[in-house]
Amino acid sequence: MARELIEGNVAIAEAAIRAGLEAFYGYPITPQTEVLEHLSWRMPQEGRVFLQAESEIASINMVYGAACAGVRVMTSSSSPGISLMQEGLSYIACSEVPAVVINVMRGGPGLGNVQPSQGDYFQAVKMAGHGDFHMIVLAPASVQEAIDLVVLAFDLAEKYRTIAMVVADGAIGQMMEPAELPPMRPVRKPEERPAWALTGAKGRKPNIITSLYLGAETLERINLGLQAKLGLIASHEVRWKEYHTDDAELLLVAFGTVGRICQTVVREARAQGMRVGLLRPVTLWPFPSTRLARLAERVRGILVVEMNAGQMVEDVRLAVEGRCPVHFYGRMGGVIPLPDEILPELKNM
């Protein structure tokens, strides 16, 4: 299909429709409200379900119900709204039903502001809700990548019967770029729902989907199964991008919008004679720890750049395990770090 100029939030919404989204439940919050606005007319136009819930808590539980019915379902929100969904996310994870969640991150903590931020890294990869589980977390750095990762999120969520979250920030959600949307996938027919789904038990034994297991040994068995699945995901679904790492002496590590900015930093640093490379994680969970550890054996130092007080840097240090020094530079409150700020940090190293 031809490329077109499209806003990030609209691109996310339309990509979900073309990936076969059957039902959307959500609540407006800046800077992701355009996702709801686009879906509010496009979903009915396609004969699909759109419902603006009374709250984020209601919307995630509606997602849970639709997911149990084997429906391809999604919600979207921004940082405080995702916080309200934590309990529901944990229920979905334990019940092993697929769902896609979009988080267009904003400045925090608290209500904060509507400026772009990466302060939800811990929330996405460490604390998506109570209990021992992880979501698949995908981090786009452009509008085109947001489109591609939304489609991938649906495929991965269904492949592993888990939650896939796409974490962008307000800059990606609001920017307009040329991008290519995917072709329209057909929506599944009721008879094509997965065998585990709650579709009515006429003529068969009833399916049971629950996250309540009162016996300790039973719940441990469920947890061991979940951990085995997470291990499988970690082995097969790690994704990242590299730029000029073959001869790099210094390595930048950044994700999302900041990862894109750091591509400019790499070009400017090399123009000044500095051999700098970049590793940009595309999956924040599973994290590209093995590749990062190998690169750490070859470079003199690593600089992690984030729009937060230092969150992904902890996973970088765990992966590096002291092989080389790991430094951090961050901006908070919705301030975007610029190449002119990052270059001096590299020179100081």
Side-chain angles (χ1 to χ4, degrees):
M1 297 184 68
R3 285 160 57 108
E4 58 184 281
L5 190 64
I6 187 168
E7 182 192 83
N9 283 334
V10 173
I12 287 169
E14 186 62 30
I17 291 171
R18 296 182 182 216
L21 176 65
E22 298 170 74
F24 176 90
Y25 308 95
Y27 189 78
I29 178 174
T30 311
Q32 66 80 50
T33 302
E34 291 88 354
V35 177
L36 276 80
E37 289 178 345
H38 188 77
L39 292 172
S40 69
W41 65 272
R42 281 288 286 125
M43 291 290 279
Q45 186 181 64
E46 294 291 335
R48 309 181 198 179
V49 174
F50 171 89
L51 195 150
Q52 180 178 312
E54 65 267 29
S55 70
E56 291 87 352
I57 297 172
S59 65
I60 194 62
N61 284 287
M62 291 174 183
V63 167
Y64 183 18
C68 289
V71 170
R72 186 164 272 204
V73 62
M74 184 180 88
T75 188
S76 68
S77 191
S78 186
S79 310
I82 298 294
S83 296
L84 289 169
M85 296 181 183
Q86 301 287 290
E87 181 187 37
L89 291 172
S90 183
Y91 287 10
I92 292 170
C94 188
S95 299
E96 296 189 82
V97 292
V100 172
V101 179
I102 308 297
N103 181 7
V104 183
M105 298 177 286
R106 59 188 268 173
L111 280 177
N113 59 27
V114 299
Q115 304 303 317
S117 173
Q118 294 177 333
D120 297 359
Y121 180 91
F122 281 160
Q123 184 188 56
V125 307
K126 309 288 188 187
M127 332 179 272
H130 58 284
D132 291 302
F133 77 96
H134 289 284
M135 306 181 294
I136 297 172
V137 183
L138 304 162
S142 67
V143 172
Q144 183 64 66
E145 199 169 44
I147 292 168
D148 298 339
L149 293 184
V150 166
V151 176
L152 177 64
F154 281 104
D155 293 340
L156 293 178
E158 291 192 345
K159 179 179 180 179
Y160 295 103
R161 287 179 59 180
T162 190
I163 307 164
M165 176 178 278
V166 178
V167 290
D169 59 67
I172 291 173
Q174 298 293 318
M175 71 170 61
M176 296 190 72
E177 290 187 315
E180 183 177 337
L181 289 162
M184 186 75 76
R185 293 183 182 179
V187 173
R188 287 180 303 202
K189 299 175 182 177
E191 60 270 22
E192 296 173 339
R193 303 260 183 259
W196 50 261
L198 307 184
T199 57
K202 185 177 180 179
R204 64 164 172 80
K205 292 177 64 176
N207 293 334
I208 297 174
I209 295 176
T210 184
S211 66
L212 177 63
Y213 300 94
L214 295 179
E217 291 80 7
T218 302
L219 185 54
E220 183 180 46
R221 186 170 66 251
I222 296 298
N223 270 280
L224 289 171
L226 286 171
Q227 294 305 309
K229 179 169 67 176
L230 292 172
L232 187 67
I233 295 170
S235 297
H236 292 88
E237 304 299 346
V238 185
R239 290 169 168 81
W240 70 91
K241 300 283 188 182
E242 292 185 34
Y243 304 89
H244 297 291
T245 57
D246 291 345
D247 65 340
E249 294 182 337
L250 298 174
L251 182 69
L252 287 161
V253 181
F255 72 93
T257 294
V258 183
R260 182 172 178 169
I261 291 167
C262 282
Q263 288 181 243
T264 300
V265 175
V266 169
R267 289 195 296 268
E268 293 185 3
R270 285 184 171 264
Q272 297 179 27
M274 302 169 64
R275 288 192 291 173
V276 177
L278 167 66
L279 184 141
R280 176 171 67 83
V282 175
T283 50
L284 302 186
W285 198 91
F287 192 71
S289 301
T290 300
R291 179 55 182 161
L292 191 54
R294 289 175 182 165
L295 289 172
E297 294 173 348
R298 295 165 26 196
V299 298
R300 296 205 323 247
I302 293 173
L303 177 63
V304 182
V305 186
E306 303 179 67
M307 285 194 287
N308 56 43
Q311 297 186 20
M312 183 180 67
V313 67
E314 295 191 7
D315 284 334
V316 173
R317 287 177 174 140
L318 285 170
V320 169
E321 291 186 320
R323 292 176 176 87
C324 70
V326 177
H327 304 265
F328 172 74
Y329 181 75
R331 299 297 301 270
M332 294 173 284
V335 178
I336 300 176
L338 299 175
D340 289 348
E341 305 168 33
I342 301 168
L343 269 170
E345 298 293 322
L346 286 169
K347 292 177 180 177
N348 290 338
M349 290 168 60

